Amino acid sequence: MTTYLGGDATVATTDAPNREREPQDRRRASNGPGPASDRAWRHPVVRVGTYAWALVGIILTAALLVFGLVQARIVVVPLLLATFPAAVLAPLSRRLRSRGWGRNAASAAVFAGGLAITIGAVALVAVRVSSELPDVVTAVQDGYEQLRQRLADGAFGLPAFDLQTLVDGLREGIAGGGEGEGDAGSGTQAIAAAESALRLLAQTALMIVVVFFLIRDGDRIGGWLVSLVPTRYRDHAAEIGGRVSETVGDYIRGQAVIATFEGVLMAVALLILGIPLAAALGFIVFLGAFVPVVGAFTAGAAAVLVALAAEGLAMALVVLAIMVVVQQLEGNVLAPIVLGRSVDLHPLAILVGLTLGGFLMGVVGAIIAVPLTASLHRAASYVGDRSTLWATEQQPA
């Protein structure tokens, strides 16, 4: 029995005779395509060529799949994002069902509670922080101007350097090198902004609906997906699905704890140092924590620039040191405890995942890159463990 998003699902799996025949089938398959080509199959060049073409086919299939997902991202993105809150809320629905609640009642109660908490938290933050955000933007701009001037004057023992030239080059590269001019350009930008707003509204509505159905019918959906897999592999597909669902849920819950820790700690530290806009900066740090590495760097840069504009270079260096300490505590102490083995990834794998996710789907891709990479890692680890076991089974006693 395998646990999916919505509950417990008993998946039709292989029977005992099929499992007993699996090692024999694999031994026969490992001997080559058939008796007629057995001698050619044993030749190293033939085997390497076969595996090479198989690898090419796998790479092309994966590339086509990624291309299709990117082209359909208006639907794919809300579907992927919906799995994150669903993975967190589904265990609560499952617990209510175990206490006698009906499927619809438990799902509706958990969904409504989660939606109410989310709306309440957003409203509370908006009331407290929204009034300070314009001041944060102004302070960051002032800090940036001071930093640019110091670099232009050759501060810190560095040669004179125009930071604005670098920023302008990056901005032009991201913008694609062209913007509309005059009234026609303004009209085009207004239409594009309206289309983006409507697209965002549609994606948000779709994500909310998908979250509810994943909470209510996640087990049925998982069981249906497993039923599409050949019978002899359903046990493994069900196990991989359960591990992926567990990984996503653990990551979201753990990352929320880590983000709260970083945001509160930075806000308190900035208040103690007398840095203005501490609450807003703490909220920015909280949001940045959901994008590992890049988010922490961006949020830390904002806090340092505000400190530079308000209190000078010495205080900015103090804030920078505090950010480094907080990041070390998060990476070396808190994350291993909270996340455990659910996101046991090398930093290089995280950076590669963030880069690919950001390149393919922008900010949303960077946010979902780490849990997706962790899920792929756990699935690959399971397949690797099973492959080792199969190889052991094939060895003669």
Side-chain angles (χ1 to χ4, degrees), residues 2-11 97 102-104 107 213-227:
T2 301
T3 302
Y4 293 98
L5 289 175
D8 295 337
T10 302
V11 181
R97 273 191 270 170
R103 177 183 291 268
N104 292 330
S107 302
F213 282 110
L214 287 179
I215 294 174
R216 193 188 72 171
D217 300 321
D219 55 342
R220 296 172 177 174
I221 295 173
W224 174 75
L225 291 175
V226 170
S227 69

Side-chain angles (χ1 to χ4, degrees), residues 262 322-336:
E262 291 187 6
I322 293 175
M323 283 295 303
V324 172
V325 171
V326 170
Q327 288 301 311
Q328 291 301 313
L329 287 175
E330 179 266 324
N332 298 315
V333 178
L334 187 61

Side-chain angles (χ1 to χ4, degrees), residues 97-192:
R97 273 191 270 170
S98 67
R99 296 182 179 180
W101 287 54
R103 177 183 291 268
N104 292 330
S107 302
V110 170
F111 175 78
L115 188 61
I117 292 174
T118 301
I119 294 175
V122 171
L124 179 63
V125 170
V127 172
R128 179 66 182 87
V129 175
S130 61
S131 61
E132 296 184 351
L133 286 181
D135 296 331
V136 171
V137 174
T138 302
V140 169
Q141 292 175 345
D142 293 341
Y144 168 76
E145 287 299 326
Q146 291 190 27
L147 179 61
R148 185 184 67 82
Q149 187 61 44
R150 289 177 179 273
L151 291 176
D153 294 338
F156 313 115
L158 299 174
F161 175 73
D162 188 3
L163 182 61
Q164 188 62 41
T165 302
L166 176 61
V167 173
D168 290 341
L170 292 175
R171 184 181 301 168
E172 291 177 1
I174 294 174
E179 295 182 357
E181 296 181 358
D183 295 336
S186 300
T188 303
Q189 292 177 3
I191 294 175

